[in-house]
Amino acid sequence: QVQLMDSGGGSVQAGGSLRLSCAASGLTDSRNCLGWFRQAPGKEREAVAIIYTGGGNTYYVDSVKGRFTISQNRYKNAVYLQMDALKPEDSAMYYCVATTKACGDSWWHLADRYNYWGQGTQVTVSS
């Protein structure tokens, strides 16, 4: 059974940094599509950053490019999201997601393509 444990959220001021972690267990193949979605109150879920653990390909939503960096530790089956220059509009619940497929250029941002979700970690950025 695949389980995702996400952590690292918190409260910071605008311009600050946070690092989210996601530990994945139960994945039998090292080639998976993992990453982060977020959802703010009253808004739809949004893909933030995704990585293909088989090749290292990464995908980012435009609003975080240049500020967020997704990375992996294949030996630990973990992914990380380094978030710098945080803005109040980054405030949301962040969810680690995974699917046992290679990431697709056409669908990496679609929530229904991910079979597994973490419990979420809250990020709050104050101005």
Side-chain angles (χ1 to χ4, degrees):
Q1 182 179 0
V2 175
Q3 288 188 322
L4 304 177
M5 295 292 293
D6 40 27
S7 61
S11 297
V12 296
Q13 290 192 326
S17 299
L18 285 172
R19 186 176 188 243
L20 305 184
S21 299
C22 175
S25 61
L27 292 171
T28 57
D29 194 309
S30 60
R31 297 164 294 177
N32 304 285
C33 190
L34 277 81
W36 301 89
F37 274 65
R38 66 186 178 187
Q39 187 167 23
K43 295 188 177 181
E44 293 188 356
R45 282 179 300 184
E46 175 185 49
V48 178
I50 299 292
I51 187 167
Y52 174 49
T53 61
N57 309 59
T58 58
Y59 305 82
Y60 295 93
V61 67
D62 286 346
S63 61
V64 308
K65 286 180 180 177
R67 300 188 297 121
F68 291 13
T69 304
I70 190 169
S71 61
Q72 64 169 318
N73 183 325
R74 294 185 67 183
Y75 300 105
K76 294 184 178 180
N77 238 358
V79 293
Y80 309 96
L81 186 66
Q82 178 65 40
M83 304 186 295
D84 297 319
L86 282 160
K87 303 176 180 180
E89 51 265 41
D90 294 317
S91 296
M93 185 71 79
Y94 283 68
Y95 297 92
C96 181
V97 300
T99 183
T100 56
K101 298 177 181 178
C103 303
D105 291 346
S106 62
W107 59 260
W108 67 271
H109 60 291
L110 300 177
D112 61 2
R113 297 301 185 101
Y114 296 87
N115 312 78
Y116 307 103
W117 290 70
Q119 78 282 2
T121 185
Q122 179 69 40
V123 171
T124 303
V125 185
S126 58
S127 57

